[in-house]
Amino acid sequence: MKYKLSISLILLLSLTVFAQEDEQDSNPLQTTRQSFGDYRGLNMTVGFVNPKTRTEGSAYYYDDWNSEAIIYLKEQGRYKVENVNINLFDNTLETLYNDNNVFTFDTNSLLQIVIEGKIFRPLLEDGELKLFELFYNNGITVYKHYYISYTKSSPNPMINRRTNKYIRNERFYVEKDGIMIRIKLSNRSFSKLFESETHTAEVILDFIEENNISLKDENQLKMVLEFLAG
């Protein structure tokens, strides 16, 4: 078992960029640029950003870079990596080094990421490789995918948008025969998607309605999945 970042692992890191600032006032678009991964050939000088524009929210899973990860690679096995974060916009794992730089791992080289008990896996969805968080795995395998909406500030007084803003959204998927199928969280659509020989759509719908379950509540969603797996 290798528990250090070796030279071979570093070769898998696909991009070196500046880290996310704790205080965005000093360089408010730095996180924006990192999250879009648009760095090759750009002049990263002070004049490139607008210091008067703030960015609300974050494109990262964690608020800080204090987490450790166990990463599983297709070729090199398992490694322990410190100071990690998940870039939700780019669907990449990143690790902070030298206080102000970030390595971005090649998602194609990863099999699995474990951070603080949470499991993330790169999976194909609509032909695109994305990082999914394992949400439920007991006979039924359900994943959660986070996606980021980004809006830019505008000086137009009619728009009244003074800041850049990240908005985090999430979708749930069930894996069936290696295919990721999006879960619609309406009672009827959910019941039809999960109907089987043991649980008809009507039975699932009755369980949801009789227990006054909201599928948008994650704990209650797991309750229904436990019912289906039982």
Side-chain angles (χ1 to χ4, degrees):
M1 301 295 180
K2 296 182 180 179
Y3 282 93
K4 63 181 180 179
L5 204 62
S6 66
I7 295 177
S8 62
L9 177 58
I10 293 176
L11 292 176
L12 292 171
L13 304 172
S14 61
L15 186 63
T16 303
V17 295
F18 287 118
Q20 176 182 8
E21 293 286 344
D22 292 332
E23 294 294 332
Q24 293 182 346
D25 290 342
S26 62
N27 193 348
L29 292 186
Q30 183 166 336
T31 305
T32 301
R33 295 170 65 189
Q34 178 175 340
S35 299
F36 278 83
D38 192 12
Y39 300 99
R40 295 183 177 91
L42 294 182
N43 179 15
M44 301 187 71
T45 62
V46 176
F48 188 80
V49 298
N50 179 1
K52 295 183 180 180
T53 305
R54 292 177 56 86
T55 299
E56 297 180 2
S58 173
Y60 285 87
Y61 187 91
Y62 294 102
D63 294 330
D64 55 49
W65 295 75
N66 298 327
S67 299
E68 293 183 348
I70 301 296
I71 63 173
Y72 296 79
L73 302 171
K74 293 179 180 179
E75 302 296 337
Q76 282 76 21
R78 179 170 86 162
Y79 293 84
K80 181 178 180 180
V81 184
E82 298 179 345
N83 301 0
V84 299
N85 214 328
I86 301 288
N87 184 326
L88 299 175
F89 191 92
D90 283 341
N91 285 275
T92 55
L93 173 70
E94 298 180 348
T95 178
L96 184 68
Y97 74 101
N98 292 341
D99 294 330
N100 64 345
N101 294 307
V102 168
F103 276 138
T104 299
F105 287 82
D106 181 4
T107 304
N108 287 288
S109 300
L110 297 169
L111 287 174
Q112 182 168 283
I113 306 162
V114 181
I115 306 175
E116 298 177 352
K118 296 181 182 292
I119 297 174
F120 299 86
R121 292 171 180 164
L123 300 167
L124 283 174
E125 193 268 326
D126 287 338
E128 184 179 351
L129 194 63
K130 302 176 182 179
L131 285 180
F132 289 81
E133 179 184 346
L134 184 61
F135 178 77
Y136 183 85
N137 189 27
N138 181 21
I140 301 170
T141 303
V142 173
Y143 290 93
K144 184 195 300 187
H145 174 65
Y146 300 90
Y147 64 100
I148 300 295
S149 300
Y150 176 74
T151 57
K152 298 185 68 174
S153 63
S154 173
N156 186 341
M158 300 298 294
I159 297 178
N160 192 27
R161 187 184 301 143
R162 297 182 179 180
T163 64
N164 303 316
K165 190 173 184 179
Y166 291 109
I167 301 174
R168 181 187 299 192
N169 304 282
E170 57 191 45
R171 294 172 178 159
F172 291 89
Y173 292 79
V174 59
E175 184 179 21
K176 291 187 175 182
D177 300 322
I179 299 174
M180 304 297 290
I181 302 174
R182 183 181 171 186
I183 301 173
K184 295 182 180 180
L185 296 179
S186 67
N187 292 354
R188 292 192 177 276
S189 294
F190 181 93
S191 300
K192 185 175 181 180
L193 176 62
F194 283 93
E195 65 180 343
S196 64
E197 294 181 357
T198 56
H199 297 90
T200 64
E202 289 75 14
V203 168
I204 299 171
L205 184 61
D206 287 344
F207 178 84
I208 293 172
E209 294 178 346
E210 289 173 4
N211 290 278
N212 196 28
I213 288 174
S214 171
L215 295 173
K216 296 181 180 180
D217 181 295
E218 292 190 4
N219 290 327
Q220 295 185 32
L221 174 58
K222 286 183 178 179
M223 185 188 305
V224 182
L225 295 173
E226 288 286 352
F227 167 72
L228 296 174

